[in-house]
Amino acid sequence: MNRLNFLVVLFFLATIAVFSQNKKHIPYTVLKGETVESICRKLTITPYTLLQLNPDIKEGLTEGQLIIVPNKEYKPELDTQVEGDYVKDGFLYHKVLPKENYYRLRKQFGVAKRILRKHNLALRTGNLKAGQIIKIPIKAGAKMAAIATPETKDTKPYLVRPKETKYSIATRYGITVEKLESLNPDLKGTVLKMATIINVPNTEAIPDANDDFMTHQVEKGETLFGLSQQFKISQEELITLNPDLEDGVKEGMLIRIPKTTLGANTSIFVPNIPENTHLKIAMMLPFMSNKSISFDSNAEDKKKRKAAKRLNRVTDFYLGAMIALDSIKKQGVSVSVNVFDTENSIATISSILKNNRFDDVDAIVGPMFLNNVKFVSQGLRIDSLAIISPASSKDHSVFASKSMVKEVPSDELLANKVLDYIKRNYTGQHLIVIADDEKENAPRVNRIVATLNTLDSVQKVAVLKPEKGYIKLDLFKEAIQEKKENWFILITKDDV
């Protein structure tokens, strides 16, 4: 080996040594015949430490099993001393003084009683005692001048098991994939590998398979009160099941909900996505790249204004679809998308079908407009291929196959659903129909009003229609009955 190669190898080994020293925990492969006790003797650690790092080994070890152990080469930074107490891993370890109570602790350290109980199991069942060592989380604004840059770590090591993904691990600990990546910056843009040790929240994991609970992802605007009302569970129970809720409800959080609290008619979607799922999507939309379109609202040419309005709808749909696909990716699904401009032309669509393979595509989103959808459906005839027809509420039954997915229900279906709901729930309310003055809509209005008038105890359905483009306020006042609950039924094709 020449001198240059020798130096490169030395540098490589030195880099590995430095890197390993910076890892607080490392993976360890269990050898034949090894037990918890023998491993602890070998590594000079206590069984408590080993079990704390690997709660799943209580039932025993097997040869070849990967576990987490402390790294002997790890060289932690010296703890910061604060007035006799000490700081470690983002906590102040404080010895309770005689006559010290929660009020004094809050005044001195700026921490509430509930936060102390959250981080100190002994305080949940007992009171403060002199000489007791308690953990106080360090946070911005804490009244400890001696700490210039407090740590904010509240994590524990986790050993990645076979077939686990970022999404599955994030779900187990009630966080988003983004939060998991923020705890582990090296994971961003990479595939999670087995036997990697990563940081996860220092909380109890949500069991992988538990029929008694479901996982709910908090949406924007949801509150603790709203969640308790939605799932018929007290706020205290929610916090007990999800301790992180004590710090507030945050968008994207994954929380546990007992299934026993859900009513019989409650329908909640629980994602059950198999590992290593890959979706191949083709999107066919009329972007009209072959034409010049003016977005001037004052343009005199009605065709140009109509084309601009249509393109706005297409781009809005496209952006919404991309957001939905991005959401699917965050749940661990690999998605590939091919986008085609149909130019709203049968000839262009025919060329797309002829020059591209679709036998390995899972779904086609589009094309828009009924005739185009019909052409694609009849031109491909692949049973395993889902064709999603967007934006059209017209009848697809003439050509639709089993794999046809219609995004917008027909007006007739919506009307029948509303009528069914009223029939099931009507108990004497006053019914008021608001209809437009379009002649083509008149038969539908008359049919629905006639159906409503057949309900028991209905005197007569009030019908309001616009005159010269609007309905007068006095007509509303006359139609409304003050001593009854009023139900309004809107029957119109006018978006306004």
Side-chain angles (χ1 to χ4, degrees):
M1 181 184 293
N2 61 40
R3 180 178 176 81
L4 179 60
N5 288 341
F6 179 70
L7 289 173
V8 170
V9 172
L10 279 181
F11 175 77
F12 178 69
L13 293 175
T15 303
I16 293 175
V18 171
F19 180 76
S20 65
Q21 288 176 1
N22 291 331
K23 291 286 185 180
K24 192 173 183 179
H25 302 91
I26 57 175
Y28 177 87
T29 304
V30 177
L31 303 177
K32 185 177 181 179
E34 283 190 317
T35 63
V36 170
E37 291 75 15
S38 66
I39 292 174
C40 289
R41 286 195 300 271
K42 181 178 179 180
L43 302 176
T44 61
I45 58 175
T46 65
Y48 173 80
T49 299
L50 192 61
L51 288 168
Q52 192 178 36
L53 292 171
N54 306 275
D56 55 341
I57 66 172
K58 292 178 182 178
E59 304 300 323
L61 296 168
T62 57
E63 182 184 354
Q65 183 178 354
L66 280 171
I67 60 174
I68 303 172
V69 298
N71 183 7
K72 287 184 178 181
E73 304 299 324
Y74 176 64
K75 295 181 179 180
E77 295 180 3
L78 295 176
D79 295 331
T80 306
Q81 298 297 320
V82 181
E83 299 177 358
D85 296 334
Y86 66 95
V87 175
K88 185 176 181 180
D89 293 333
F91 286 93
L92 168 68
Y93 287 77
H94 172 70
K95 185 176 182 180
V96 179
L97 303 176
K99 297 184 180 181
E100 202 167 39
N101 55 30
Y102 287 111
Y103 172 77
R104 291 185 178 180
L105 288 172
R106 180 166 189 165
K107 193 173 181 180
Q108 182 179 357
F109 300 110
V111 62
K113 179 179 178 180
R114 63 181 179 85
I115 299 298
L116 288 174
R117 285 188 166 181
K118 176 183 176 181
H119 295 289
N120 297 273
L121 185 61
L123 298 183
R124 298 182 191 177
T125 55
N127 294 321
L128 285 168
K129 297 177 183 178
Q132 190 177 23
I133 304 295
I134 61 172
K135 293 166 62 178
I136 301 175
I138 300 170
K139 59 182 180 180
K143 301 176 181 179
M144 291 179 241
I147 306 174
T149 55
E151 295 180 14
T152 56
K153 290 179 68 177
D154 191 15
T155 60
K156 63 182 179 182
Y158 180 85
L159 184 65
V160 178
R161 269 71 175 180
K163 296 185 179 180
E164 283 189 316
T165 64
K166 294 178 188 178
Y167 175 74
S168 65
I169 295 173
T171 302
R172 287 193 67 195
Y173 286 93
I175 59 174
T176 62
V177 172
E178 288 82 359
K179 177 63 175 177
L180 184 67
E181 289 180 339
S182 71
L183 296 175
N184 304 272
D186 293 342
L187 293 184
K188 289 184 179 180
T190 63
V191 177
L192 199 58
K193 296 180 180 178
M194 187 189 75
T196 305
I197 295 178
I198 63 174
N199 293 319
V200 296
N202 196 9
T203 57
E204 289 187 17
I206 300 171
D208 288 330
N210 191 332
D211 292 334
D212 298 330
F213 293 92
M214 59 156 282
T215 302
H216 171 75
Q217 185 168 15
V218 175
E219 297 180 359
K220 186 177 182 179
E222 287 189 320
T223 63
L224 188 61
F225 174 77
L227 290 169
S228 69
Q229 294 296 304
Q230 179 181 350
F231 296 110
K232 298 179 177 63
I233 181 175
S234 70
Q235 297 181 40
E236 291 75 17
E237 288 177 286
L238 276 173
I239 292 174
T240 301
L241 290 169
N242 308 276
D244 288 343
L245 289 176
E246 285 190 354
D247 299 327
V249 179
K250 299 180 179 69
E251 181 185 357
M253 289 177 71
L254 297 165
I255 60 175
R256 299 171 71 196
I257 304 292
K259 289 184 179 179
T260 54
T261 64
L262 305 178
N265 294 325
T266 304
S267 178
I268 293 180
F269 173 71
V270 181
N272 182 20
I273 301 171
E275 298 286 346
N276 302 319
T277 299
H278 177 80
L279 287 179
K280 191 170 183 180
I281 308 293
M283 200 173 292
M284 297 184 184
L285 297 172
F287 291 104
M288 310 302 291
S289 58
N290 61 325
K291 293 184 179 180
S292 176
I293 297 176
S294 172
F295 289 91
D296 183 3
S297 59
N298 297 319
E300 295 182 3
D301 192 334
K302 289 184 178 180
K303 287 185 177 181
K304 288 185 177 180
R305 289 204 304 270
K306 187 176 181 180
K309 186 177 180 180
R310 179 187 296 164
L311 184 57
N312 279 330
R313 288 177 59 195
V314 171
T315 52
D316 284 347
F317 178 84
Y318 171 75
L319 292 174
M322 297 309 292
I323 291 171
L325 291 172
D326 184 61
S327 178
I328 292 174
K329 287 181 181 179
K330 289 178 180 177
Q331 296 190 42
V333 179
S334 172
V335 181
S336 60
V337 184
N338 286 325
V339 181
F340 301 94
D341 180 8
T342 64
E343 301 176 351
N344 195 24
S345 162
I346 293 292
T348 303
I349 295 172
S350 177
S351 177
I352 291 171
L353 298 184
K354 182 179 179 181
N355 297 320
N356 296 274
R357 287 184 57 189
F358 292 93
D359 53 341
D360 60 341
V361 173
D362 296 292
I364 293 177
V365 179
M368 283 187 169
F369 309 116
L370 189 63
N371 287 337
N372 296 338
V373 176
K374 180 180 179 180
F375 185 84
V376 171
S377 175
Q378 294 178 342
L380 289 178
R381 297 190 181 280
I382 302 173
D383 293 337
S384 60
L385 174 63
I387 300 176
I388 302 170
S389 173
S392 176
S393 61
K394 294 181 180 179
D395 185 14
H396 289 51
S397 60
V398 177
F399 63 88
S401 63
K402 292 181 180 179
S403 58
M404 173 70 68
V405 179
K406 189 179 173 187
E407 185 211 7
V408 181
S410 65
D411 294 339
E412 202 67 24
L413 178 61
L414 285 175
N416 290 334
K417 290 293 182 182
V418 171
L419 287 172
D420 288 342
Y421 176 85
I422 293 173
K423 289 176 183 177
R424 290 195 311 269
N425 297 278
Y426 181 77
T427 55
Q429 293 85 352
H430 180 52
L431 303 180
I432 303 172
V433 168
I434 299 176
D436 57 35
D437 55 357
E438 297 291 333
K439 291 183 179 180
E440 63 180 22
N441 198 33
R444 191 161 66 106
V445 174
N446 294 335
R447 180 181 64 79
I448 293 173
V449 171
T451 303
L452 294 174
N453 279 322
T454 61
L455 295 177
D456 292 339
S457 73
V458 170
Q459 297 174 358
K460 188 177 181 182
V461 176
V463 180
L464 300 180
K465 291 185 178 182
E467 294 180 9
K468 296 181 180 180
Y470 70 97
I471 301 174
K472 294 179 180 179
L473 180 60
D474 291 340
L475 294 176
F476 276 103
K477 291 180 178 179
E478 291 174 9
I480 293 173
Q481 294 186 8
E482 294 184 3
K483 295 182 179 180
K484 269 191 173 185
E485 184 177 340
N486 295 273
W487 282 8
F488 290 87
I489 300 104
L490 189 64
I491 311 173
T492 178
K493 291 188 175 183
D494 190 336
D495 293 336
V496 178

